[in-house]
Amino acid sequence: MGRQFLAVAAVFVAVGCTGSQSDESPLSPSTSAVMASSAVAGPTVIAEDLEVPWGIAFLPDRTALIAERDSGKIRHLLPNGEVSDIGEIPGVSARGEAGLLGLAVSPTYDTDQMIYAYLTTDDDNRVVALRFDGTVLGEPDPILTGIPAGAIHDGGRIAFGPDGALYVATGEAGDKLLSQDPSSLGGKILRLDADGSIPADNPTPGSPVWSLGHRNVQGLAWDDAGRLWATEFGANTWDELNLIEPGNNYGWPYAEGSAGIDGFTDPVLQWRPSEASPSGLAFLDGSLWVAALRGERLWQIPVGADGSLGEPQSLFEGEYGRLRTVVATPDGALWFTTSNRDGRGTPAEGDDRILEIRPVP
C-alpha cells in the first residue's frame, strides 16, 4: 500500500468535569488552543490475515506479540513480517465480545521473561501470567480471577503504568449495577502488583479497585505527564474519554456522558456512538489516539502540557472498517488493527490487518 499524507478535521464535543453540553456545543477555548499534528505518513500494512487481533504488546527486542480474540492464540510478529504461533491459551471461551483480549509485557521482562494476558473462561474473566523465553510459551498462572464475564462488556485491556503496577480494565458484563458495587470487579479499572497482590497505596486498602462506575473500558494510556486516560463505550447516547483519578466514580449506569451529577466524574470528551465506539487508546507525539469500531476511524486528540485537549482529528473514516486496537511502537510509529472478522464487520481482502502510520513533524 502506498504512502499518503492526510489530516481530516472533525466535529467533536469537549466537556468539563462538571455540567454538560449539547452536541452542538463548540470546543471550549481551553481546549481549542492545543493543535494536532497536521499530517501522518502511511498507512502501510504490517501484518494481515489475522483472526480478530485484540491485544498487542512489544518485547524488549521490539518484536510484537498479538492476541487473537477468537482463536485464543498468541502470535509473534518478527521484524521481517513473519507471523508465527507461539501457543494457544488453554481455557479461552470465545463468545460474543469475549475471548483472549489484552496483552502486556512485564517491565522487567529481561530478567523474568513474563507476559500477561486477559481472557474469558467458561466462568469468569481473568488475568494470567505466562513465561515466554522467545520460543516457548509457558503455562498460564492466574493472578486475578472472578472478573464478571458475559457475551458483552468484558473490558479486557491491561497495561503496566509508569509506576510499574498492572492496570486492568473491566466491563460490567451486561449487569449494570456491578459498576457501582465496590465489592465487584466488574465495571472498574483495577490496579495490581505484577504478582497479583494489591498495592498498599490503592484508594481502598485491600481492594484492587482504582476507579469505578464504568460500563466497558477497552482503552488505557498514559501521557507524558503520567496522567491515565481511558476510553469507554456508552450505551445509546454518549461514548467517553475519561481522565482517571484514583477512587473516582465515573457514573455508570446513572450517568452516560456529561451529566453534572454530584459525586460522579464527567468525561473530558464525549461523542456519539456512530462516530466512535472507542476501543484501543495510545499516546504518541503529544496526542491521544483512539481506535473506533462503529465509527470506523482513528481519532487523534492533542494533549497540552496541562492536560487540556485540542481539536480532535478524524483519520481514515470508513477506509478500513472497524478499528480495534492502537499502540505506539518502540521506534515512534503507531500501529492500529482492523476488527472486521469479529462478527460485526465486513471483512476485506487481507483482514484482519495491522496498519502503521507515522506522525509527520
Side-chain angles (χ1 to χ4, degrees):
M1 182 177 296
R3 294 164 67 90
Q4 54 184 320
F5 299 85
L6 67 154
V8 184
V11 177
F12 207 85
V13 181
V15 298
C17 292
T18 59
S20 61
Q21 293 179 298
S22 72
D23 55 337
E24 286 82 20
S25 299
L27 289 162
S28 67
S30 63
T31 63
S32 60
V34 186
M35 300 302 293
S37 301
S38 61
V40 295
T44 55
V45 176
I46 298 298
E48 56 188 357
D49 297 320
L50 302 172
E51 188 176 341
V52 195
W54 212 104
I56 297 177
F58 291 93
L59 297 169
D61 64 4
R62 299 191 173 190
T63 61
L65 300 178
I66 306 163
E68 292 185 333
R69 188 191 72 183
D70 292 353
S71 72
K73 295 178 180 179
I74 296 181
R75 310 188 73 183
H76 193 191
L77 177 57
L78 302 176
N80 63 4
E82 178 185 347
V83 178
S84 62
D85 293 344
I86 63 170
E88 183 175 334
I89 306 297
V92 172
S93 178
R95 56 189 188 274
E97 298 171 4
L100 179 59
L101 304 176
L103 282 181
V105 171
S106 167
T108 56
Y109 178 87
D110 284 333
T111 56
D112 60 32
Q113 295 185 318
M114 297 304 294
I115 66 173
Y116 297 79
Y118 184 111
L119 61 105
T120 313
T121 71
D122 289 336
D123 302 315
D124 64 0
N125 283 304
R126 58 181 56 192
V127 179
V128 299
L130 311 96
R131 191 175 303 278
F132 177 58
D133 63 4
T135 304
V136 178
L137 186 67
E139 291 297 314
D141 177 23
I143 65 167
L144 180 66
T145 61
I147 302 169
I152 59 171
H153 306 174
D154 289 281
R157 198 67 61 183
I158 59 175
F160 280 96
D163 58 0
L166 180 63
Y167 290 75
V168 180
T170 75
E172 32 82 314
D175 187 346
K176 298 177 181 180
L177 293 181
L178 292 182
S179 298
Q180 293 295 325
D181 181 353
S183 67
S184 172
L185 300 179
K188 311 293 192 297
I189 295 175
L190 310 174
R191 180 174 180 258
L192 307 169
D193 289 325
D195 62 359
S197 60
I198 298 171
D201 58 346
N202 272 11
T204 301
S207 171
V209 174
W210 190 246
S211 62
L212 70 160
H214 300 290
R215 183 173 183 262
N216 192 22
V217 174
Q218 289 195 356
L220 299 172
W222 288 263
D223 64 21
D224 286 336
R227 291 175 290 250
L228 173 58
W229 304 83
T231 50
E232 182 167 346
F233 292 114
N236 301 309
T237 308
W238 292 114
D239 291 328
E240 300 178 357
L241 173 68
N242 285 297
L243 178 60
I244 303 300
E245 298 290 346
N248 282 18
N249 188 326
Y250 290 81
W252 179 256
Y254 304 115
E256 181 183 355
S258 182
I261 300 174
D262 187 44
F264 295 152
T265 301
D266 282 342
V268 290
L269 288 177
Q270 61 186 18
W271 61 110
R272 299 298 188 188
S274 61
E275 296 178 316
S277 294
S279 185
L281 179 67
F283 182 81
L284 178 67
D285 197 35
S287 290
L288 291 164
W289 304 79
V290 179
L293 289 165
R294 184 177 169 188
E296 297 189 350
R297 69 192 78 183
L298 185 69
W299 286 104
Q300 180 190 3
I301 308 165
V303 181
D306 62 354
S308 60
L309 301 182
E311 182 177 354
Q313 305 288 314
S314 172
L315 307 178
F316 314 120
E317 181 179 346
E319 292 186 37
Y320 300 103
R322 294 164 58 82
L323 304 185
R324 169 75 64 181
T325 293
V326 57
V327 292
T329 71
D331 65 349
L334 199 77
W335 287 4
F336 61 94
T337 73
T338 66
S339 191
N340 294 319
R341 296 176 65 182
D342 63 6
R344 297 179 177 176
T346 303
E349 184 177 357
D351 276 338
D352 277 317
R353 292 170 283 174
I354 299 175
L355 301 161
E356 179 184 274
I357 59 172
R358 290 181 181 272
V360 175

